[in-house]
Structures are given as structure tokens and as C-alpha cells.
Amino acid sequence: CLAYALFAEAGVPAPRCAFARVQVNGEDLGIYAHVEPIKRPFLRDHFGDDSGDLYEGTLSDVEPRWLDTFDPKTDETDPTLGPLRPFAADLADPTLQLDAVLDAHLDLDAFLTFWAMEVWVGHWDGYTGNQNNFFVYRAPGTDRLAFLPWGADGTFQTPQQEGGTA
């Protein structure tokens, strides 16, 4: 919950989170985090519209070989990954300047804030650390993508390496 709150404080659209004590048939199962899902109400709250293209990234990257790893998350989302393909193609084009490519496809200040927050909270299993646990949203009427944090259960920890040790 702290990681999501810090993302939100930095201006990054992030899920709300609260703690809940869970009991089943009188048995106390302990404290759990209740995290807002990144679905239509979240998109309306943060972008004013929920009819854009929402993709979940799980071991995904905006690179031609990895594009098919993105999972479309709404009925309106382009299943052909239409908003992601031009970005990947531009990134792979050596004749284009990186800053111009990023500016054409992202709100660069917002992306850098997202990236800085992932590093700051130690989200080693997020986009910037492991190309994992994130969402990308393209709001209607724009060609720019917004990166959203997800799966923050590994924050504020020592990064995991193969074999389970740092």
C-alpha cells in the first residue's frame, strides 16, 4: 500500500490500497492488502475515459519480439496491439532519435516519474526492473501511452536474482 501511495503522491496514476482483516467462519486469517483493480472505474477516475486501450504487461516490453506478451484487458482494447506496434517499430528504427520517439509515444515527464518511482520504492519486479507487473493505457484521442504500476508486493525488498538470492 505504501508503494502505491507514493506513486500517487508523485502524480502517477496508481491503484488505491487499504488493509483488511480477513475472517472466515470465525477464524482470523490475518491482515491482507486490498488493492484497487486496474479496470474501467480506475481508468475513468484517472483519465476521464475508460474506452481506450489497456494492456497488462507480464514479462513484456515494447520491442517487436516481445509485443505478443501484452494482454489486452478490455473489450475495446485493440487485440492486434495497434497502439504498441508503432512505438516498437520506432524504437527499433536506428534512423530515429530516441528522444523524438519517446516524445511521440509517451508523456516523457510522466514516464520518467513512473520509472523513478519504481526505482525509489525498489519495485524490482516492475517494468523498469524486470519488464513485469505493469499496465499500459492509451486514452482515446491520444497516441501517447501511460505506464501504470502493478504487482507492488515485491517493493522495499532486496532484488531477487536467479536462485532466490540477491
Side-chain angles (χ1 to χ4, degrees), residues 12-140:
V12 176
R16 293 175 292 181
C17 184
F19 294 105
R21 177 173 298 281
V22 176
Q23 295 180 346
V24 176
N25 297 328
E27 181 183 351
D28 185 358
L29 299 179
I31 304 290
Y32 287 78
H34 182 247
V35 180
E36 176 183 23
I38 297 184
K39 294 187 175 185
R40 292 183 187 286
F42 175 91
L43 299 173
R44 281 192 301 271
D45 288 347
H46 292 279
F47 298 96
D49 193 322
D50 64 2
S51 63
D53 296 294
L54 178 66
Y55 302 96
E56 184 173 4
T58 306
L59 297 174
S60 304
D61 203 355
V62 185
E63 195 222 288
R65 296 176 303 152
W66 287 31
L67 280 181
D68 290 333
T69 62
F70 282 92
D71 185 19
K73 296 311 273 189
T74 70
D75 292 339
E76 287 81 16
T77 298
D78 182 349
T80 69
L81 311 173
L84 299 174
R85 289 191 188 287
F87 187 20
D90 287 353
L91 284 171
D93 186 339
T95 67
L96 298 176
Q97 294 294 318
L98 180 60
D99 57 342
V101 169
L102 295 176
D103 189 51
H105 296 280
L106 303 171
D107 174 335
L108 192 51
D109 286 340
F111 178 73
L112 291 175
T113 301
F114 166 82
W115 188 339
M117 291 308 301
E118 281 206 329
V119 171
W120 194 60
V121 302
H123 194 3
W124 64 269
D125 198 27
Y127 176 69
T128 60
N130 196 30
Q131 292 83 32
N132 197 32
N133 289 322
F134 67 99
F135 282 85
V136 179
Y137 184 63
R138 187 192 59 82

